[in-house]
Amino acid sequence: MKTVIQRVSKASVTIEGEKVASIEKGLLILLGVVNEDTQEDIKWLSNKIGNLRVFSDENGVMNRSLKDIDGNAIVVSQFTLHASTKKGNRPSYIKAAKPDIAIPVYENFVKQLEIDLGKKVQTGQFGADMKVELLNDGPVTIMIDTKNKE
């Protein structure tokens, strides 16, 4: 799995004019899935994100996690994170998992993150044309790939 994680003051997801998810202070998590992703990857990534110290403490140092601040999260599926741009100008998405594999991984990741955070995690809708609005705080943007754990 690949993720782009953005620390936000607020974020929302709108589908066909209807706001389906909205948070205040927390993380917007864009998630891309490949065929090889496993339950181990899901657990590792969820734990990593929940404990990632990207929020400021009383001294202005990024020393607090989403758990520490009781922040919220939105997870949005984004197969384009696995785009290959090696050849030509049209990205190839051949590495991205097809929906029959990606949807269960995506849903299991959301469930695991809810367990790790101890609260409901909001989401977009898999495969939908979504409008994602955010106010990036910092800006702080982190990329994580479960294939590069070491």
Side-chain angles (χ1 to χ4, degrees):
M1 285 180 283
K2 284 186 181 178
T3 59
V4 172
I5 302 159
Q6 295 181 302
R7 185 179 76 183
V8 299
S9 297
K10 62 181 178 177
S12 64
V13 177
T14 302
I15 301 172
E16 295 180 4
E18 180 184 346
K19 193 175 284 190
V20 298
S22 180
I23 64 168
E24 295 298 320
K25 188 173 186 175
L27 297 176
L28 173 66
I29 303 161
L30 306 175
L31 181 71
V33 177
V34 294
N35 291 336
E36 299 78 25
D37 288 327
T38 66
Q39 188 63 34
E40 179 185 320
D41 291 320
I42 290 168
K43 287 181 178 180
W44 181 87
L45 184 60
S46 176
N47 182 62
K48 177 65 82 175
I49 290 172
N51 291 298
L52 198 62
R53 298 186 317 179
V54 294
F55 295 93
S56 298
D57 63 15
E58 60 280 351
N59 298 315
V61 177
M62 286 196 291
N63 205 24
R64 291 197 172 136
S65 69
L66 190 60
K67 286 181 181 181
D68 294 333
I69 67 156
D70 194 30
N72 295 298
I74 296 179
V75 179
V76 174
S77 62
Q78 190 168 354
F79 74 94
T80 59
L81 291 178
H82 290 288
S84 173
T85 57
K86 287 184 180 181
K87 291 183 179 179
N89 294 318
R90 183 180 201 163
S92 169
Y93 305 107
I94 198 156
K95 291 183 182 179
K98 301 288 185 245
D100 61 321
I101 292 173
I103 291 172
V105 171
Y106 168 79
E107 290 174 347
N108 287 337
F109 173 76
V110 171
K111 288 177 189 171
Q112 184 64 52
L113 190 58
E114 287 178 336
I115 291 167
D116 288 346
L117 296 177
K119 64 173 18 179
K120 178 83 173 129
V121 170
Q122 296 196 46
T123 65
Q125 180 182 333
F126 190 95
D129 181 12
M130 296 174 272
K131 307 303 179 210
V132 179
E133 197 171 1
L134 67 133
L135 181 57
N136 193 318
D137 180 17
V140 174
T141 302
I142 309 279
M143 295 183 290
I144 300 175
D145 186 337
T146 59
K147 304 308 180 230
N148 295 321
K149 294 177 194 165
E150 312 271 326

